[in-house]
Amino acid sequence: MDYSKEPRRDILCIDVTSFFASVESVRLGLHPLASYVVVMSKADQDGGLVLAAAPRVKKEYGIKTGSRRYEIPKHSFIQIVEPHMTLYLKVNAMINAIFLEFVAETDLHLYSIDESFLDVTASHALYGSTKEIALKIQTTIWQRLRLFVTIGIGDNPLMAKLALDNAAKKEKNGIAEWHYKDVPETLWKIQPITEMWGIGSRTASNLYRLGIDSVYDLSQYSVHSLKKIHGTIGEQLFYHAHGIDQSIISQKYTPLSRSFGKSQILDRDYIDAYEIEVVIREMADQVAARLRNHHAQTGMIHLTIRFSGEILDKGFNQQLKIFPTSSSQKIIETCLFLFRKHYNNEPVRQLAISCGKIHYQSDLQLDLFESAEQTISREELEKVIDRIRFKYGYTSLVHASSLTSGGTAIKRSGLVSGHQG
């Protein structure tokens, strides 16, 4: 394939090695690459979930993100710590500040809390070659924060990401470069095909049925056939198999539509329907507030209920179309209707509420089953509640039911990403 017409940028994809575990290691005065730290949520329970494990723990014990408390060997060197989400966010902000010493804000894309893309094309006059910039960033983060980062270098974000995931993390210095000219010796050698960024087990299964079981096979398949079978995704997979990615970091596209929803794993099995409804009310109220904050409305409510792990029946997923709304009352009523219709008195451990058919308000929409005065009065009341909560916190105004034993909103209001700060 002729790469001469493809846009070439100098891209870095930077990952903080085992971010949560590394931050905890530094907090404890330990070297992040030599410690045996595991960050675990609900460590006092056998089902406690591993959020991050230091590199040595992964290598020597096979413990990784998603492992459970009971899988950790007793009498091992492993040191279990509770997550400190506020600290992780603070450190993340410090890392981002370092990035902005080397690139403009428009050339920085924050992919996740521990991974970012930097376009250093315009930074050479100040900081040298792409490799030199990568080394300077890596050294600066180590000197200031004692955190080790791995870096993939590429001609576009895709190649940088692939270099990071498939090569940099295996290099002693944590840096690897993949360019268009290297595709036959790098990208096409990725095995298995699920190691290719963007190809999960489901996509891989579809490709296997076409006789494609390697990235090289994918690159040699007919792009027209792939597009005919898998649509735009098939075409994208073909070009990705050649290392082609035409995205420009500074030309970010921010979609108007976004996800509005909330999920929660309960601290215990809830067997009382009233207690479950209390949590549903709290969650639906918070989802509605988010919709109003973004001047959005939903025309579809989706409720997911997951039963206790001890129950063979896993739960249910149900959805219902509604007149577009952002009303807490309407969304709560819909969620409760779905719950009461499908709940069969099993112990509940997890709940989720999500919204579909999102559109953004320009004018007030009146419900045919509600008078204009009622709609306006309800919206004004909810706006007042939103303003009070924004200024004084969510718990400044809660429903009386949230004060009962089943309520979780007050307790969770002090958490960050579902964990203690």
Side-chain angles (χ1 to χ4, degrees):
M1 179 167 287
D2 181 13
Y3 295 107
S4 61
K5 296 182 180 180
E6 295 304 321
R8 293 172 185 263
R9 308 290 293 178
D10 297 320
I11 307 297
L12 307 181
C13 185
I14 303 179
D15 174 79
V16 184
T17 304
S18 301
F19 181 54
F20 291 176
S22 291
V23 172
E24 292 295 343
S25 298
V26 174
R27 184 178 67 85
L28 297 170
L30 305 172
H31 193 297
L33 301 184
S35 74
Y36 289 88
V37 168
V38 163
V39 181
M40 182 179 294
S41 176
K42 300 179 181 178
D44 58 332
Q45 302 176 17
D46 283 343
L49 187 69
V50 172
L51 303 179
R56 275 200 169 182
V57 176
K58 295 177 182 177
K59 183 178 180 180
E60 298 179 22
Y61 295 96
I63 301 299
K64 56 187 179 181
T65 301
S67 295
R68 294 291 182 172
R69 177 70 176 84
Y70 60 79
E71 297 179 69
I72 294 182
K74 295 180 180 179
H75 312 298
S76 67
F77 293 111
I78 296 175
Q79 183 173 355
I80 299 173
V81 298
E82 289 281 348
H84 296 87
M85 301 306 295
T86 302
L87 173 62
Y88 307 152
L89 293 173
K90 180 180 179 181
V91 173
N92 172 254
M94 296 168 73
I95 293 171
N96 295 337
I98 292 174
F99 291 156
L100 292 174
E101 294 178 17
F102 293 88
V103 297
E105 189 171 356
T106 52
D107 290 324
L108 171 63
H109 175 68
L110 307 178
Y111 185 63
S112 66
I113 193 171
D114 61 353
E115 192 169 313
S116 299
F117 290 91
L118 285 72
D119 186 338
V120 299
T121 308
S123 303
H124 298 307
L126 289 174
Y127 300 107
S129 69
T130 305
K131 181 71 172 289
E132 288 172 334
I133 295 172
L135 285 167
K136 287 176 181 177
I137 291 175
Q138 187 185 60
T139 301
T140 302
I141 292 175
W142 173 255
Q143 290 176 340
R144 296 186 192 175
L145 304 175
R146 282 294 181 263
L147 297 174
F148 183 74
V149 299
T150 50
I151 304 176
I153 299 172
D155 295 327
N156 56 50
L158 172 67
M159 290 293 280
K161 172 66 173 170
L162 292 173
L164 172 75
D165 290 344
N166 296 278
K169 294 178 180 180
K170 302 172 186 176
E171 295 291 334
K172 188 174 182 180
N173 70 349
I175 298 177
E177 296 186 57
W178 282 19
H179 301 285
Y180 286 132
K181 63 182 178 61
D182 306 318
V183 166
E185 298 303 319
T186 55
L187 182 52
W188 288 353
K189 297 293 178 66
I190 294 176
Q191 283 287 3
I193 196 171
T194 49
E195 289 299 308
M196 172 73 174
W197 183 77
I199 299 181
S201 58
R202 187 172 181 179
T203 300
S205 296
N206 293 332
L207 295 176
Y208 294 151
R209 284 194 284 270
L210 299 176
I212 300 173
D213 60 4
S214 70
V215 178
Y216 174 76
D217 289 343
L218 179 59
S219 72
Q220 303 305 304
Y221 207 84
S222 166
V223 63
H224 301 293
S225 297
L226 285 170
K227 186 174 182 180
K228 185 176 181 180
I229 298 168
H230 295 295
T232 304
I233 296 298
E235 184 179 29
Q236 179 179 292
L237 288 172
F238 173 82
Y239 287 110
H240 279 189
H242 286 276
I244 294 175
D245 173 16
Q246 297 184 331
S247 59
I248 306 292
I249 291 176
S250 60
Q251 299 175 3
K252 298 182 180 71
Y253 168 68
T254 304
L256 187 61
S257 179
R258 66 184 72 201
S259 173
F260 293 93
K262 190 174 182 65
S263 62
Q264 183 177 162
I265 299 176
L266 301 170
D267 289 335
R268 57 179 170 82
D269 290 345
Y270 275 44
I271 57 176
D272 186 320
Y274 175 78
E275 285 193 333
I276 300 167
E277 290 190 4
V278 169
V279 179
I280 291 175
R281 288 176 183 276
E282 293 174 339
M283 293 172 62
D285 188 25
Q286 292 168 339
V287 169
R290 282 195 61 219
L291 285 166
R292 293 193 294 272
N293 185 49
H294 289 91
H295 307 288
Q297 293 185 325
T298 177
M300 175 83 77
I301 297 297
H302 188 111
L303 176 68
T304 300
I305 299 292
R306 290 280 177 261
F307 297 147
S308 167
E310 306 298 324
I311 305 299
L312 291 177
D313 186 356
K314 297 303 179 184
F316 61 85
N317 296 282
Q318 294 293 329
Q319 63 184 29
L320 186 67
K321 290 182 180 180
I322 60 174
F323 185 85
T325 186
S326 61
S327 161
S328 290
Q329 178 187 337
K330 298 291 185 182
I331 294 174
I332 289 171
E333 287 175 354
T334 303
C335 289
L336 291 179
F337 170 79
L338 289 171
F339 174 72
R340 291 166 181 169
K341 183 176 180 180
H342 300 282
Y343 180 56
N344 58 0
N345 297 315
E346 299 286 7
V348 171
R349 196 56 181 262
Q350 186 173 355
L351 308 91
I353 297 171
S354 60
C355 301
K357 298 187 178 298
I358 302 296
H359 73 272
Y360 292 80
Q361 292 176 265
S362 56
D363 299 296
L364 176 66
Q365 294 194 45
L366 300 179
D367 190 327
L368 293 175
F369 301 100
E370 185 175 80
S371 70
E373 290 78 8
Q374 286 177 310
T375 300
I376 294 171
S377 176
R378 172 177 48 74
E379 285 208 354
E380 288 301 319
L381 174 61
E382 289 176 340
K383 287 179 181 178
V384 171
I385 293 173
D386 290 343
R387 286 196 294 269
I388 292 174
R389 285 175 171 170
F390 178 79
K391 185 173 182 179
Y392 298 106
Y394 179 82
T395 57
S396 59
L397 275 178
V398 295
H399 294 280
S401 58
S402 290
L403 300 174
T404 64
S405 59
T408 65
I410 296 175
K411 178 182 178 181
R412 292 178 64 84
S413 66
L415 303 183
V416 179
S417 298
H419 305 283
Q420 292 290 346

